[in-house]
Amino acid sequence: KNEVEQSPQNLTAQEGEFITINCSYSVGISALHWLQQHPGGGIVSLFMLSSGKKKHGRLIATINIQEKHSSLHITASHPRDSAVYICAASGGGGSNYKLTFGKGTLLTVNP
Amino acid sequence: GAVVSQHPSRVICKSGTSVKIECRSLDFQATTMFWYRQFPKQSLMLMATSNEGSKATYEQGVEKDKFLINHASLTLSTLTVTSAHPEDSSFYICSAWDSLQETQYFGPGTRLLVL
């Protein structure tokens, strides 16, 4: 069983919709990362958070340490947001920076 | 912001040859870099942790003699796939740990195709 679980696996939305991607983890962590991977393969780090909430533009990430759960929200979604979004936990196994990855959520935003 | 580069971005080689992939941190020093492999429609899998000035730490199931890692400077780590075979065809991604920012920056990846 993967220690980091994401849902949904696939998500299709219409432009303008509010999107939520969920991530649950079963290990103790020092931080939770949200990454974006475009079809070409390159990965961009969106957020790293260990508590509370962070916002960058139309993206919002939240984490609930007690429930071991994080969410990534996209407001006013746009076709250019189409990508794979990956949740990753760091701090498992005593390493502060070794990441354990979820399987990713493929988001498709249609115009 | 911090940038991590990889070279080459894609490579095609014949079976049995060796391929070297470079990972550079461009505006910060990274004592620790990571090498990942990603097969189509699968998640990233950590292959090894590259430590500057010392031997790399390999994950279970990754052959250290096949995937040679060298981290000779604080801004460069290299992964050499020795005697490559078609099953080594994959997307290889590196990342570098910025200890000042306490965050990890990813390279753009290298797509390897072994014929």
Side-chain angles (χ1 to χ4, degrees):
Chain A
K1 183 181 185 300
N2 201 25
E3 295 174 329
V4 178
E5 297 282 348
Q6 280 184 245
S7 63
Q9 191 173 350
N10 292 282
L11 180 57
T12 301
Q14 287 300 123
E15 184 173 355
E17 286 185 4
F18 180 84
I19 287 162
T20 296
I21 300 171
N22 295 300
C23 176
S24 297
Y25 52 92
S26 58
V27 295
I29 65 167
S30 59
L32 193 289
H33 302 250
W34 282 102
L35 311 170
Q36 180 191 56
Q37 185 173 30
H38 277 284
I43 290 178
V44 174
S45 182
L46 299 175
F47 294 104
M48 183 180 74
L49 65 166
S50 53
S51 65
K53 173 180 170 179
K54 285 190 176 181
K55 185 176 188 291
H56 183 69
R58 295 181 293 107
L59 301 177
I60 303 167
T62 63
I63 188 168
N64 184 317
I65 300 294
Q66 286 74 29
E67 295 185 5
K68 290 188 168 61
H69 181 269
S70 175
S71 293
L72 175 69
H73 306 285
I74 304 175
T75 61
S77 60
H78 192 275
R80 64 174 174 268
D81 297 326
S82 298
V84 175
Y85 291 84
I86 303 168
C87 163
S90 61
S95 166
N96 284 334
Y97 42 68
K98 186 172 171 179
L99 296 179
T100 302
F101 295 89
K103 292 186 177 180
T105 295
L106 175 60
L107 170 65
T108 304
V109 181
N110 293 318
Chain B
V3 176
V4 173
S5 69
Q6 275 185 247
H7 177 79
S9 57
R10 60 175 60 217
V11 56
I12 301 173
C13 68
K14 292 182 179 179
S15 185
T17 60
S18 295
V19 176
K20 181 187 281 189
I21 303 170
E22 293 185 349
C23 177
R24 293 181 185 274
S25 58
L26 297 184
D27 56 2
F28 67 98
Q29 294 182 330
T31 54
T32 304
M33 291 184 174
F34 302 90
W35 286 98
Y36 302 92
R37 181 168 52 184
Q38 185 180 36
F39 291 107
K41 298 190 185 300
Q42 296 196 19
S43 186
L44 285 81
M45 295 296 295
L46 179 65
M47 299 175 66
T49 302
S50 171
N51 303 296
E52 187 267 336
S54 65
K55 291 182 179 180
T57 305
Y58 290 81
E59 295 300 299
Q60 191 173 10
V62 178
E63 302 174 55
K64 65 178 191 292
D65 294 329
K66 180 170 180 63
F67 297 99
L68 301 178
I69 291 173
N70 186 282
H71 194 155
S73 80
L74 288 171
T75 59
L76 174 65
S77 175
T78 60
L79 168 69
T80 301
V81 183
T82 62
S83 187
H85 287 96
E87 57 265 31
D88 298 324
S89 299
S90 187
F91 190 57
Y92 292 85
I93 303 171
C94 74
S95 70
W97 174 254
D98 184 340
S99 57
L100 290 179
Q101 300 295 326
E102 290 194 328
T103 193
Q104 197 165 144
Y105 296 100
F106 288 84
T110 297
R111 198 163 298 280
L112 170 64
L113 177 61
V114 184
L115 302 176

